[in-house]
């Protein structure tokens, strides 16, 4: 699950990103409204979290613009202003939920799960052959075996499964899982694919993760 967080306070952004990453979400941060608008318009996210007070385009305005350009991604607004008025306004302009800072992280996570559940209902689990991934519960199963993955492995597997039967290049995988701003080296993709193979393919048939030489990978049931 990919989340876009638009938050100008660096410490708050870092705290939220860290907490969500530990919960297996892939998080990209925009530090102002303009970047947020650009990123939300040019990449697909499962959820957008908008701080209301931003230096340029504020969260309310940003939400309005996203909705008027027909972006239907669930939006959660964050604000330090605990006023019924701004809450109502936020929901009126198309936000799906509203949370007042400071918040309890557990509540924040529960609300995120609920938003994601609503928006992904009907396609909760991804399934290829006997491999199943539940993006909301963060569970992976192969046959009857529950498989433990680190959060990067999980994000990588989810990405490959969402692109089932499609060849994805190393560059695309890298940008989606590690992010443009990552300083990890690009062979990290190959390293993580091999971790993943050990866990989801090695002891099973059919093999699902295939290498496309000099290009990238494809997750596919060839049986
Ligand atoms: Ca702010």
């Amino acid at each position: 699950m990919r989340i876009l967080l638009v938050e100008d306070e660096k410490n708050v952004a870092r705290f939220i990103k860290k907490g969500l990453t530990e919960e297996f979400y892939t998080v990209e941060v925009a530090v102002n409204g303009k970047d947020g608008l650009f990123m939300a318009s040019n990449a697909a996210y499962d959820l957008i979290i908008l701080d209301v007070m931003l230096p340029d385009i504020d969260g309310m305005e940003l939400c309005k613009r996203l909705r008027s350009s027909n972006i239907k991604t669930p939006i959660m607004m964050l604000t330090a202003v605990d006023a019924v008025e701004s809450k109502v306004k936020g929901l009126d302009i198309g936000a799906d939920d509203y949370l007042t800072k400071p918040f309890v992280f557990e509540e924040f996570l529960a609300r995120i799960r609920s938003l994601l559940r609503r928006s992904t209902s009907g396609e909760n689990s991804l399934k290829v052959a006997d491999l199943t991934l539940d993006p909301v519960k963060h569970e992976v199963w192969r046959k009857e075996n529950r498989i433990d993955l680190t959060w990067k492995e999980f994000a990588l597997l989810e990405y490959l499964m969402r692109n089932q039967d499609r060849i994805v290049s190393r560059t695309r995988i890298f940008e989606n899982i590690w992010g443009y701003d990552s300083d990890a080296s690009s062979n990290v993709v190959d390293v993580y694919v091999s971790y993943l193979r050990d866990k989801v393919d090695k002891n099973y048939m059919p093999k699902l993760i295939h290498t496309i030489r000099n290009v990238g990978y494809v997750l596919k049931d060839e049986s």
Side-chain angles (χ1 to χ4, degrees):
M1 290 275 170
R2 287 181 83 202
I3 297 179
L4 173 64
L5 169 65
V6 188
E7 167 65 86
D8 60 313
E9 287 156 75
K10 294 222 166 68
N11 288 337
V12 178
R14 200 175 305 131
F15 169 75
I16 293 178
K17 180 174 178 167
K18 183 172 180 285
L20 291 180
T21 301
E22 283 166 3
E23 295 294 317
F24 297 82
Y25 298 107
T26 302
V27 182
E28 285 181 24
V29 178
V31 293
N32 57 54
K34 271 188 197 141
D35 288 357
L37 183 60
F38 178 82
M39 289 164 79
S41 312
N42 288 284
Y45 295 96
D46 299 293
L47 174 70
I48 299 171
I49 301 171
L50 291 181
D51 184 33
V52 170
M53 303 284 277
L54 294 168
D56 46 3
I57 308 170
D58 72 40
M60 295 280 186
E61 179 60 27
L62 183 49
C63 179
K64 221 187 300 175
R65 289 202 205 173
L66 292 175
R67 290 304 184 229
S68 65
S69 43
N70 219 16
I71 291 169
K72 298 193 173 75
T73 312
I75 293 177
M76 181 191 288
M77 309 280 280
L78 298 180
T79 183
V81 189
D82 186 15
V84 176
E85 200 183 311
S86 59
K87 195 173 279 190
V88 171
K89 193 177 162 214
L91 297 173
D92 274 352
I93 57 169
D96 299 277
D97 200 0
Y98 204 99
L99 195 58
T100 306
K101 293 192 284 191
F103 48 77
V104 179
F105 211 78
E106 280 306 310
E107 184 189 357
F108 180 54
L109 289 175
R111 298 238 200 153
I112 288 175
R113 279 196 297 271
S114 149
L115 283 176
L116 291 173
R117 214 176 293 124
R118 262 189 271 159
S119 71
T120 58
S121 63
E123 54 119 7
N124 258 354
S125 287
L126 304 170
K127 204 167 166 38
V128 179
D130 52 12
L131 174 67
T132 311
L133 179 146
D134 186 325
V136 178
K137 287 198 230 150
H138 295 125
E139 287 180 5
V140 173
W141 297 78
R142 183 99 200 234
K143 292 191 167 56
E144 295 81 37
N145 305 318
R146 169 95 185 258
I147 295 171
D148 278 326
L149 298 179
T150 65
W151 59 271
K152 277 290 184 219
E153 291 164 353
F154 185 93
L156 175 60
L157 183 62
E158 182 180 353
Y159 185 72
L160 291 173
M161 288 181 84
R162 285 193 188 278
N163 286 285
Q164 182 191 347
D165 296 334
R166 260 178 294 193
I167 296 169
V168 278
S169 70
R170 285 187 181 78
T171 311
R172 271 190 62 203
I173 296 173
F174 185 79
E175 285 173 359
N176 273 279
I177 310 300
W178 280 268
Y180 300 92
D181 56 346
S182 167
D183 48 14
S185 73
S186 60
N187 77 349
V188 75
V189 173
D190 301 314
V191 173
Y192 272 82
V193 167
S194 78
Y195 293 159
L196 210 47
R197 274 189 167 135
D198 273 352
K199 293 182 178 178
V200 305
D201 259 354
K202 194 173 158 198
N203 300 317
Y204 303 93
M205 286 301 277
K207 305 298 178 207
L208 298 174
I209 302 170
H210 307 275
T211 304
I212 308 299
R213 252 188 101 203
N214 299 326
V215 181
Y217 297 96
V218 61
L219 192 141
K220 193 176 188 174
D221 177 11
E222 286 181 333
S223 63

